[in-house]
């Protein structure tokens, strides 16, 4: 098991957002966490990466407790996080953004990983000397994913990669994520766009009001009455 | 009249480059840590005294003293960061203001105790004379100071753009959480930034001592100067910083030449207020 979260409580200040959350991600698996706005999905990823401190519970990555580590130490264990909107460094060029992604794995800059990523996202090569602030929403998202991948993480965590993008771009981004999944990468995907997420992932968790209320294979979830009514609108 | 104007502009341009060097320190600290170090001018004053002491003890030229004062101020910056600044980062802005203003008062008082209220200057300089171009005089010591300042500014620009530590500083300045998410240890980056900002005052202090005297309350003037240049330049453009330093330098020397030398702070502060009023992001600031 790559990531195991058990009985996690976390939140801002003294108010917990996540209550007793338990979640597992196995190697080479794509897991999605779906749920409505404000359910605590982003807080979950922020807690895994240490941006939000866990109040209680365990976060174990590769048999190692990481809940007490600082963000940069957690990232060094082999986790990459693409936050909402991608958040590339706006005043750095595309190439410098990618270089920053390799901050913990500098040898990857010489191993041709950048060329692989340029092959996956050709638009980034075209834009490589442009400032990230001049990119479109889709390009920012692709840059952020590429920046996350350049360290060759063991776990890629994506926070709403479809947010604010035109449907055609969402298709394109999901196509890329599918390619990554098929190459064997472990992915933890958080999404409000439930139909995309359930179609892509192997297993899913449903997070509502900070509680994980359901879990199962994506096919099962897609056929459950609650999901069909509340999320898929069928 | 024209000769006097050109002469004061030449002098002002050279001073301006040194002001840009002083401001670069406060600028990278503000840009990366989002903390305005109100004691920055007093770091310059402190560096000038150190240069004076080293210059006197070792019979060195002021321009040579940064060889010793740079490492001293670099370590001093680290200590100040971990002792004071680091504890105020997650606090309200007024707390940061209070501690750096407190540091300013502390350093000024320490300077008064150690060196008394007497201005000090180095008697001896290997850089003598001046260069005569037509009717205009360029003091060699100021020219050397301006050139050394430019070299250090260029060095910092190179460091920010090409080195890993410099890239981490730029990333932390852009988006602190995201910098942590690519593996940057922000405290180490902050400490390094503050130490570099501090070390830059050591360079400026040595250069200033080659043609100026220092006194314990002189820090406030460099503080004002650096805020004014920073406000004029905005964040993110090093050429903009040099030009802004030159604007302030020229404004200062023209004031000294044509009005009253005592009104130079008034003019500098006037520019500061006008910039904040009309161009709050500065002339060259991004966004």
């Amino acid at each position: 098991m790559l990531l195991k979260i058990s009985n996690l409580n976390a939140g801002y200040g003294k108010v917990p957002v996540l209550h007793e959350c338990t979640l597992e991600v196995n190697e080479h698996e794509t897991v999605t966490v779906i749920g409505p706005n404000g359910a605590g999905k982003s807080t979950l990823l922020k807690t895994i990466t240490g941006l939000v401190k866990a109040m209680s519970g365990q976060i174990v990555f590769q048999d190692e407790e990481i809940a007490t580590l600082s963000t940069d130490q957690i990232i060094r264990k082999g986790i990459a996080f693409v936050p909402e909107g991608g958040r590339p460094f706006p005043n750095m060029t595309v190439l410098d953004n990618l270089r920053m992604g390799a901050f913990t794995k500098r040898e990857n800059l010489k191993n041709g990983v950048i060329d692989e990523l340029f092959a996956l996202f050709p638009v980034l090569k075209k834009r490589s000397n442009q400032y990230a602030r001049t990119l479109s929403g889709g390009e920012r998202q692709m840059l952020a994913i590429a920046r996350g991948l350049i360290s060759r993480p063991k776990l890629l965590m994506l926070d709403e990669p479809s947010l604010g993008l035109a449907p055609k771009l969402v298709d394109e981004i999901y196509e890329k994520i599918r390619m990554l999944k098929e190459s064997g990468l472990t992915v933890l995907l958080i999404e409000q766009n439930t139909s995309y997420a359930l179609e892509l992932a192997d297993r899913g968790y449903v997070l509502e009001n900070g509680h994980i209320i359901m879990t199962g294979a994506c096919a099962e979830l897609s056929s459950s009455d609650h999901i069909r009514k509340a999320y898929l609108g069928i | 009249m024209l000769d006097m104007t050109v002469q004061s502009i030449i002098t002002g341009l050279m001073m301006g480059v040194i002001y840009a060097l002083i401001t670069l320190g406060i600028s990278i600290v503000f840009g990366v840590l989002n903390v305005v170090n109100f004691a920055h001018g007093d770091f310059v004053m402190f560096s000038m005294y150190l240069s004076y002491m080293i210059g006197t003890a070792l019979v060195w030229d002021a321009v040579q003293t940064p060889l010793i004062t740079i490492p001293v101020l670099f370590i001093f910056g680290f200590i100040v960061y971990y002792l004071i600044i680091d504890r105020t980062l997650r606090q309200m802005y007024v707390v940061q203001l209070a501690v750096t203003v407190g540091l300013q008062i502390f350093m000024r008082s320490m300077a008064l105790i150690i060196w008394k209220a007497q201005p000090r200057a180095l008697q001896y300089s290997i850089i003598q004379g001046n260069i005569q171009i037509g009717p205009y005089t360029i003091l060699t010591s100021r020219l050397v100071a301006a050139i050394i300042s430019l070299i250090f500014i260029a060095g910092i620009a190179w460091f920010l753009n090409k080195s890993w530590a410099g890239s981490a500083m730029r990333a932390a300045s852009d988006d602190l959480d995201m910098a942590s998410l690519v593996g940057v240890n922000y405290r180490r980056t902050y400490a390094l930034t503050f130490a570099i900002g501090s070390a830059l005052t050591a360079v400026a202090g040595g250069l200033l001592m080659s043609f100026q005297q220092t006194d314990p309350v002189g820090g406030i003037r460099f503080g004002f100067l650096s805020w004014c240049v920073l406000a004029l330049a905005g964040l993110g453009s090093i050429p903009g910083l040099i030009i802004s330093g030159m604007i302030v330098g020229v404004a200062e020397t023209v004031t000294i030449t044509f009005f009253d030398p005592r009104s130079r702070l008034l003019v500098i502060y006037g520019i500061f207020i006008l910039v904040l009023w009309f161009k709050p992001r500065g002339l060259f600031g991004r966004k």
Side-chain angles (χ1 to χ4, degrees):
Chain A
M1 197 174 301
L2 194 61
L3 178 73
K4 184 174 168 56
I5 297 171
S6 29
N7 305 103
L8 179 69
N9 292 282
Y12 308 90
K14 284 182 177 154
V15 190
V17 174
L18 299 173
H19 305 273
E20 298 292 317
C21 289
T22 295
L23 182 148
E24 293 169 10
V25 181
N26 295 308
E27 228 159 314
H28 309 304
E29 189 183 34
T30 296
V31 172
T32 184
V33 178
I34 57 174
N37 215 348
K41 303 191 300 298
S42 291
T43 307
L44 178 66
L45 293 194
K46 283 183 186 160
T47 311
I48 296 171
T49 48
L51 291 176
V52 171
K53 282 288 160 223
M55 293 165 176
S56 65
Q58 283 86 47
I59 305 172
V60 176
F61 183 70
Q62 292 189 307
D63 305 318
E64 194 181 344
E65 174 70 48
I66 58 166
T68 54
L69 299 180
S70 66
T71 300
D72 59 294
Q73 289 170 321
I74 293 168
I75 295 306
R76 279 167 202 276
K77 302 286 175 202
I79 297 179
F81 177 27
V82 180
E84 214 175 281
R87 273 164 70 181
F89 299 110
N91 298 306
M92 295 177 107
T93 62
V94 168
L95 204 56
D96 276 357
N97 264 281
L98 292 175
R99 286 204 187 106
M100 276 317 287
F103 192 77
T104 58
K105 290 272 175 60
R106 297 175 192 184
E107 64 276 12
N108 283 7
L109 290 178
K110 294 181 189 109
N111 294 348
V113 184
I114 285 196
D115 290 328
E116 280 172 43
L117 290 169
F118 278 158
L120 186 64
F121 301 106
V123 66
L124 296 182
K125 187 170 190 175
K126 240 180 0 195
R127 302 256 186 272
S128 59
N129 289 317
Q130 250 174 268
Y131 284 108
R133 60 171 186 261
T134 65
L135 299 183
S136 71
E139 289 164 350
R140 277 174 208 218
Q141 193 60 248
M142 290 186 213
L143 174 56
I145 295 174
R147 179 182 61 186
L149 290 171
I150 198 162
S151 63
R152 290 205 186 281
K154 297 178 186 101
L155 172 66
L156 177 70
M157 305 201 301
L158 300 161
D159 190 355
E160 305 226 20
S162 72
L163 192 81
L165 299 184
K168 191 168 161 273
L169 277 170
V170 178
D171 284 338
E172 199 181 328
I173 295 272
Y174 266 84
E175 190 46 46
K176 307 289 185 192
I177 301 173
R178 181 177 298 282
M179 286 163 76
L180 295 170
K181 167 193 153 96
E182 276 159 13
S183 74
L185 186 69
T186 313
V187 180
L188 177 58
L189 170 72
I190 278 191
E191 209 25 297
Q192 265 192 83
N193 199 333
T194 312
S195 52
Y196 275 93
L198 288 180
E199 199 189 323
L200 176 85
D202 305 312
R203 283 192 306 116
Y205 292 83
V206 183
L207 188 65
E208 285 183 12
N209 294 322
H211 297 270
I212 286 176
I213 57 154
M214 268 172 101
T215 175
C218 284
E220 273 171 52
L221 290 176
S222 308
S223 57
S224 98
D225 273 351
H226 176 71
I227 300 291
R228 286 165 69 94
K229 270 192 211 127
Y231 294 93
L232 299 172
I234 309 171
Chain B
M1 180 68 188
L2 177 72
D3 283 359
M4 268 169 80
T5 313
V6 174
Q7 178 65 56
S8 64
I9 289 174
I10 291 172
T11 310
L13 289 176
M14 290 188 296
M15 285 308 291
V17 183
I18 304 174
Y19 295 163
L21 178 70
I22 295 172
T23 312
L24 183 57
I26 202 171
S27 171
I28 57 171
V29 169
F30 181 45
V32 176
L33 280 71
N34 209 13
V35 168
V36 177
N37 178 14
F38 280 92
H40 191 71
D42 296 78
F43 279 55
V44 178
M45 175 272 297
F46 184 63
S47 302
M48 288 173 81
Y49 270 112
L50 281 183
S51 289
Y52 164 76
M53 286 175 74
I54 293 161
T56 312
L58 304 178
V59 201
W60 275 15
D61 192 89
V63 175
Q64 295 169 294
T65 56
L67 288 174
I68 296 175
T69 57
I70 288 174
V72 171
L73 264 289
F74 189 79
I75 293 163
F76 181 67
F78 260 107
I79 294 169
V80 169
Y81 175 79
Y82 280 112
L83 221 55
I84 301 174
I85 310 293
D86 187 66
R87 293 151 197 259
T88 69
L89 291 176
R90 305 273 181 225
Q91 312 258 5
M92 282 183 299
Y93 211 69
V94 65
V95 176
Q96 300 170 357
L97 194 139
V99 293
T100 58
V101 170
L103 181 64
Q104 177 186 27
I105 295 166
F106 174 78
M107 289 179 72
R108 195 182 309 164
S109 310
M110 287 305 285
L112 267 168
I113 292 169
I114 300 169
W115 294 293
K116 311 292 182 264
Q118 205 180 0
R120 311 274 175 143
L122 279 169
Q123 305 299 326
Y124 158 86
S125 177
I126 45 171
I127 303 159
Q128 294 289 343
N130 43 50
I131 301 162
Q132 202 70 32
I133 302 170
Y136 310 118
T137 312
I138 297 173
L139 281 170
T140 316
S141 59
R142 295 204 181 188
L143 183 65
V144 168
I147 291 168
I148 294 175
S149 296
L150 273 181
I151 292 169
F152 272 91
I153 293 170
I156 293 291
W158 181 89
F159 170 80
L160 287 174
N161 280 307
K162 299 293 174 198
S163 73
W164 280 106
S167 299
M169 284 162 60
R170 284 189 296 142
S173 161
D174 263 10
D175 188 335
L176 181 61
D177 277 349
M178 201 57 235
S180 302
L181 286 171
V182 294
V184 172
N185 179 327
Y186 82 90
R187 288 181 79 203
R188 210 178 293 162
T189 304
Y190 276 11
L192 179 67
T193 307
F194 200 84
I196 291 173
S198 172
L200 286 172
T201 67
V203 183
L207 297 177
L208 287 166
M209 274 316 269
S210 68
F211 55 85
Q212 274 191 7
Q213 59 182 27
T214 181
D215 62 87
V217 291
I220 192 76
R221 193 171 80 84
F222 297 114
F224 277 141
L225 274 169
S226 57
W227 303 331
C228 182
V229 176
L230 179 63
L232 208 53
L235 283 176
S237 163
I238 285 183
L241 190 71
I242 297 172
I243 295 167
S244 301
M246 287 172 162
I247 291 173
V248 171
V250 169
E252 191 189 41
T253 48
V254 168
T255 309
I256 293 171
T257 311
F258 293 102
F259 303 103
D260 187 333
R262 284 169 296 183
S263 63
R264 60 184 184 178
L265 265 185
L266 186 73
V267 170
I268 290 166
Y269 225 63
I271 297 175
F272 185 46
I273 290 167
L274 287 176
V275 170
L276 289 184
W277 197 347
F278 294 109
K279 280 287 252 183
R281 286 200 176 277
L283 302 179
F284 309 94
R286 62 194 174 203
K287 275 174 259 170

